[in-house]
Amino acid sequence: MTRAEQGAAAGVALEEPVAVETAETTPERTSGGRSPLRGRAGVLASRLWAATRRNRTFSVILVTGALLRIVAMVGYTPVMFFNDSFDYLHVAMKPYPHPLRPDGYAFLLLALRPLHSFALVAAVQHLMGLGMGLMIYALLRRRFGVRGWIAAVAAAPVLLDGYQIQLEHLVLSDTLFTFLVVGAVTLLLWHDRPSWKVAAAVGLIIGLAWLTRSVGLPVLLGVLVFLLIRRAGWRTMAVLLVTCMLPVVAYMGWYKAENDKFAMTESNGIFLFARVYKFADCHKMKDLPVREMPLCTEVGGSRQPNSQDGIWNAASPLNRYTGKRFNPELNGIANDFAKRAILSQPDDYVRVVGHDFFRVFQWKRTVFPDPATYAQYEFGERSNALPEWRMDSDYTAAQEAVAYEQGRARTKVVEPFAGIIRGYQDHVYLRGSLVGVILLVGLAGMAVMWRRFGGAAFLPWCLATGLLLAPAATAEFDYRYVLPSVPLACIAAALAFSPAARVRLRRGGVGRGVDEPGPAPSGDAPKKKVPEIAAG
């Protein structure tokens, strides 16, 4: 069969041929005395750069994304802050296991602290954003043979979304978490049969993601289910699980040494209480313990409108207890009460979870949960003064920010650059309804590959959906929780247009070579030039 016939059989037009190689099978090369490791890294980098230059669409998107991030850095210097930023800073200045959230992101701030530059923090996070776009494109293009323009479109949301760029410019954990999850998915999908070394690397990355945000646990569960479906073998799964748990167990040991409890936080029960706060009716709970009765409020009475008011509002029933808000005793009481409410009122629980989950897919962004919080997700016309609330007996939030920077830390708005990125954010972002369309496209592609449980798209699609559902099930909807799922959803949607999926749709074929790309040639075999459709 000629090359043209091979391309036509797969239902795609021929593009410039590329070599069938993967990071796992590329022969080690040396030249000019370079080490094999450096030679391999150089080859991979040069091939990625060459692939990028061949696709003008992706090149334009990537360069535009980089320029927009530069404009944001110049327009809002040195960085922007969110309410949670100062908790991370507090840990970075005086490390301790925080009771509200794990310290993974604070460790990044701690590592960068000697350089005393919030601008560097922002730059690192913007590079993570660009890196995610490169990973998405490389995975789809080089591993699965997706057409260049489709791979470029799949990478566009993370590279060009105005709210994504603003999230990267905040001192906040979401960018690091998303980067780690996308990196783990890319590494795992790049190898049809991951070796124990790949499994160890993926496990370690997921463990770090778990230390960055608590929803890293569902990510681990999703990856293990994927490996089980793919029959990766118990050794591979065991290695991944062990390496994932190493940093997590070490952190929990530190937490126990400081707080005499083997845990990561003291907040899971309190956040779950916030989830049931809007509907919990003590009259429907049987045998309610006396210690939980202070959490009862009259339905439709003095309750505040949002679930998070159950934690932060002055009228929260949690304030009826003495002591610190996030302590083991109160966390246990709130957790027991929340579980009791869910079991007593399952229909109400499903209703509030479904309401928040489907809020993701609204076309128009609305002010939520309140104007002050919503404003922190946008490039503003002026910067707010750093807060003066006390972080401990010695420092306020503002003082710790200044100490980290060793200079002015308050955001400075510099025109006209600020106006440019502000106007861009107002008009260029991924609408919620489009997120729903992307997920539906990915689901359709999985349906085509139903004999293989959705194929490679199973992992990114399930993780994307899970990351949208987890906040709705355990806390409350928040716009910042939507963005980490977008890169994964885009990968899954683009795989619906992979040659394997298209051939299966056209022919209804089964077996290897139709469902998924087969194994690449061994490293000892000579490199062959074949149509890009066969790559990966």
Side-chain angles (χ1 to χ4, degrees), residues 64 74 109 183 193 366:
T64 302
V74 176
L109 297 179
R193 294 291 179 184
T366 57

Side-chain angles (χ1 to χ4, degrees), residues 52-53 55-69 129-134 136-137 147-161 165 424 428:
T52 300
R53 287 190 296 110
N55 190 320
R56 293 183 180 179
T57 301
F58 180 70
S59 298
V60 170
I61 292 174
L62 181 63
V63 171
T64 302
L67 291 176
L68 289 169
R69 285 161 172 81
L130 295 174
M132 285 187 279
L134 283 168
I136 293 170
Y137 178 81
R147 287 181 175 179
W149 70 269
I150 296 177
V153 170
V158 73
L159 291 173
L160 301 181
D161 186 290
I165 296 171
Y424 178 87
V428 184

Side-chain angles (χ1 to χ4, degrees), residues 143 191-193 230 452 504 509-520:
R143 176 67 179 93
H191 301 84
D192 186 54
R193 294 291 179 184
R230 305 278 284 194
R452 292 177 64 89
R504 184 168 178 80
V510 296
R512 198 159 204 145
V514 176
D515 287 338
E516 298 274 0

Side-chain angles (χ1 to χ4, degrees), residues 476-493:
E476 188 177 36
F477 168 84
D478 197 310
Y479 283 112
R480 62 185 269 208
Y481 298 150
V482 177
L483 292 174
S485 69
V486 170
L488 302 172
C490 289
I491 292 174

Side-chain angles (χ1 to χ4, degrees), residues 228-240:
L228 182 64
I229 291 174
R230 305 278 284 194
R231 299 178 182 177
W234 69 267
R235 290 185 180 86
T236 299
M237 298 176 64
V239 168
L240 188 147

